[in-house]
Amino acid sequence: MLDAAFKAPTNDHLRQLEFVVVRGQENIARLISPVTENTRKIQEAGLQAAESSMDKDEYAMFVDALPKQKRMLMQSNCLVLPFFRQKDYPLCQPADQSSLNYFASAWAAVENILLAATAEGLACTFRIPIGNEPEYVKQAIGAPDGYEFTCFLAIGYAAPDAHIPKQKVIRVEDRIHENMW
């Protein structure tokens, strides 16, 4: 599945992606330890604020998923940590939109992994790192300078009784515009 990542387009064609595959609940627990505290902070401060700014279906999905993230990461027993080489500008201080090309390439690679896993009948979940999580993970696994952590990506089998949140129905015809918006 991970070789699907290297079939994604990259902005410089060098495919400077690296993956750390973590197995075993003890190893996974060590790497996701900041998730508990950061999730608690979001639940305390963010849920009420989010309710007023989110669509009702989006909010319901957020409320459903947030408490389950850590459990899903732990229960997968296969945690993939994608890294990408970030050149020129710090990720969170881009000079312009083009400075984010390496980040965009990393997410194209992650999407290919998600599609490959789904094609094999597996389920995936990911958590975009927040707060101290990126630096914690980079230090814990010994990532070299110049590489950025993309997400926590868990791959496994869905629980037979897994709740599937309501998805928005989108009419594609309403989103395609010819020549002008």
Side-chain angles (χ1 to χ4, degrees):
M1 270 177 283
L2 295 183
D3 82 327
F6 295 98
K7 293 180 173 90
T10 56
N11 65 306
D12 62 5
H13 308 289
L14 297 177
R15 292 174 169 45
Q16 295 185 75
L17 305 165
E18 303 283 339
F19 299 91
V20 176
V21 178
V22 183
R23 294 193 182 274
Q25 289 190 341
E26 185 176 301
N27 293 326
I28 292 171
R30 179 178 57 87
L31 289 168
I32 67 169
S33 63
V35 169
T36 301
E37 179 63 18
N38 290 335
T39 299
R40 185 188 61 75
K41 288 177 185 175
I42 291 171
Q43 287 175 307
E44 287 177 0
L47 285 178
Q48 289 178 329
E51 186 173 19
S52 63
S53 65
M54 289 181 165
D55 167 273
K56 68 180 175 81
D57 294 331
E58 176 187 18
Y59 181 74
M61 192 176 297
F62 182 64
V63 169
D64 178 66
L66 191 61
K68 293 193 286 189
Q69 283 183 334
K70 182 179 178 187
R71 185 178 75 238
M72 290 187 295
L73 294 174
M74 283 296 299
Q75 290 176 350
S76 73
N77 206 29
C78 179
L79 183 66
V80 178
L81 307 174
F83 288 82
F84 65 96
R85 183 136 184 133
Q86 176 66 28
K87 295 181 182 177
D88 305 324
Y89 295 93
L91 177 60
C92 293
Q93 299 170 351
D96 52 34
Q97 195 169 358
S98 182
S99 301
L100 297 172
N101 282 343
Y102 297 101
F103 184 61
S105 295
W107 276 100
V110 168
E111 182 176 18
N112 274 15
I113 294 168
L114 295 171
L115 292 169
T118 301
E120 294 294 325
L122 296 168
C124 302
T125 187
F126 64 84
R127 176 187 171 90
I128 298 170
I130 60 170
N132 63 333
E133 294 168 11
E135 291 306 316
Y136 176 85
V137 168
K138 288 193 299 187
Q139 188 276 327
I141 59 101
D145 289 342
Y147 279 84
E148 294 294 336
F149 173 51
T150 310
C151 66
F152 297 97
L153 175 59
I155 302 173
Y157 294 96
D161 60 346
H163 169 70
I164 308 296
K166 178 183 175 187
Q167 299 288 315
K168 282 284 187 204
V169 176
I170 304 295
R171 283 179 24 98
V172 175
E173 306 82 41
D174 295 341
R175 300 287 177 99
I176 299 173
H177 311 279
E178 272 189 59
N179 299 325
M180 293 183 66
W181 192 291

